[in-house]
Amino acid sequence: MDWPSMDMLLFLIIAGFVAAFVDSVVGGGGLISVPALLLTGLPPSMVLGTNKLGGTLSSVTSTISFLFSGKINGKLVLALFPLSFVGSALGTYAVHLLPSSFLKPLVISLLVIVLIYTLFKKNWGADAKPRPLTTATKAACALCAFVLGFYDGFFGPGTGSFLLFLFLLLGFDFVGASGNAKVLNMASNIASLAAFFMLGSVHLGYGLPMGIAMIAGAFVGSRLAIRHGARYVKPLFIGVTTVLIGKQLWDLLQ
């Protein structure tokens, strides 16, 4: 197993911390961590697997932090967790059979809808206004958890934004939505990471140092979100979603 040079090690630690700081609150950390890993010269498949190692460590840390804050609806996310897990495992397998490029136009359209809806709902997510979980709502949540898990394993960009949006629609405030979203994101990350390990696509020499930095970034980011609430999370959510749209458009036009 190769280990990075001191310069590369420092670069990965800084990039990992910043990526996890953002990802712990609204997702989108891969916009930072994936390009950073590509600069190491690892092949793309190894980069994606190694990034999942850091992403999993980050999401576990964020989940624990939000859990102790009391912001997670344990009954709801425990019911959705296995659906997200299985969906991600199937998505990671499917990516080896099908090209993911056809998803990009759909993802861009959905992210634009999410962004516009959030911008026009001025006080949306400022306070928790839980909606009753009817049978139809539960079925819709289950379907969304599975589909977004599959999407995360198959393609990935914007998963955090879509999950957070789902919980906002259920009446959670921005901090509660972020906490519950991280639990499902953790499920999809664990399943995808396990698949990458089985495929031999995780480089521990690069992934572990970055992953440790991501634990620290996730802890700091989630604590700030819990402390400062919607006035901190909502602008970050809007900013990251905007960048995600720009990144996907850029990739589509190349």
Side-chain angles (χ1 to χ4, degrees):
M1 178 175 62
D2 299 327
W3 290 89
S5 65
M6 286 304 297
D7 289 346
M8 182 57 72
L9 180 64
L10 181 61
F11 171 71
L12 289 176
I13 287 172
I14 294 172
F17 182 90
V18 175
F21 181 90
V22 174
D23 198 71
S24 65
V25 186
V26 295
L31 289 168
I32 300 168
S33 57
V34 170
L37 285 166
L38 283 170
L39 289 175
T40 65
L42 291 173
S45 60
M46 188 72 75
V47 165
L48 294 176
T50 304
N51 182 63
K52 275 298 177 185
L53 173 59
T56 301
L57 293 173
S58 171
S59 61
V60 169
T61 304
S62 302
T63 296
I64 293 171
S65 188
F66 279 113
L67 186 62
F68 280 107
S69 74
K71 290 291 184 179
I72 291 177
N73 184 324
K75 185 177 180 180
L76 176 60
V77 294
L78 280 176
L80 298 177
F81 189 97
L83 294 168
S84 186
F85 184 94
V86 172
S88 180
L90 292 173
T92 304
Y93 176 73
V95 79
H96 293 278
L97 305 175
L98 300 167
S100 59
S101 57
F102 72 90
L103 274 179
K104 287 184 179 180
L106 176 62
V107 170
I108 293 169
S109 301
L110 290 174
L111 284 172
V112 168
I113 292 170
V114 166
L115 179 61
I116 292 173
Y117 191 90
T118 305
L119 285 170
F120 278 89
K121 296 276 287 188
K122 296 297 182 182
N123 296 317
W124 195 42
D127 300 302
K129 299 173 183 177
R131 297 182 180 180
L133 291 176
T134 62
T135 301
T137 304
K138 290 177 182 177
C141 286
L143 179 62
C144 286
F146 178 82
V147 169
L148 289 175
F150 183 92
Y151 169 75
D152 193 27
F154 186 77
F155 187 53
T159 302
S161 297
F162 293 136
L163 285 170
L164 195 151
F165 190 72
L166 168 65
F167 284 103
L168 285 171
L169 290 175
L170 290 176
F172 289 88
D173 60 22
F174 263 97
V175 179
S178 181
N180 285 280
K182 291 314 296 180
V183 180
L184 298 192
N185 203 198
M186 179 180 69
S188 61
N189 277 339
I190 291 172
S192 186
L193 177 62
F196 276 118
F197 262 119
M198 287 188 289
L199 294 167
S201 295
V202 180
H203 194 296
L204 295 178
Y206 290 92
L208 285 177
M210 192 178 208
I212 292 170
M214 292 180 85
I215 290 174
F219 178 78
V220 174
S222 57
R223 296 311 301 173
L224 278 174
I226 292 164
R227 186 176 299 121
H228 295 293
R231 64 188 176 89
Y232 167 72
V233 180
K234 186 173 182 178
L236 188 61
F237 174 71
I238 291 170
V240 169
T241 304
T242 302
V243 173
L244 275 167
I245 293 169
K247 173 65 166 58
Q248 296 309 305
L249 278 171
W250 174 262
D251 290 345
L252 189 65
L253 296 172
Q254 293 304 298

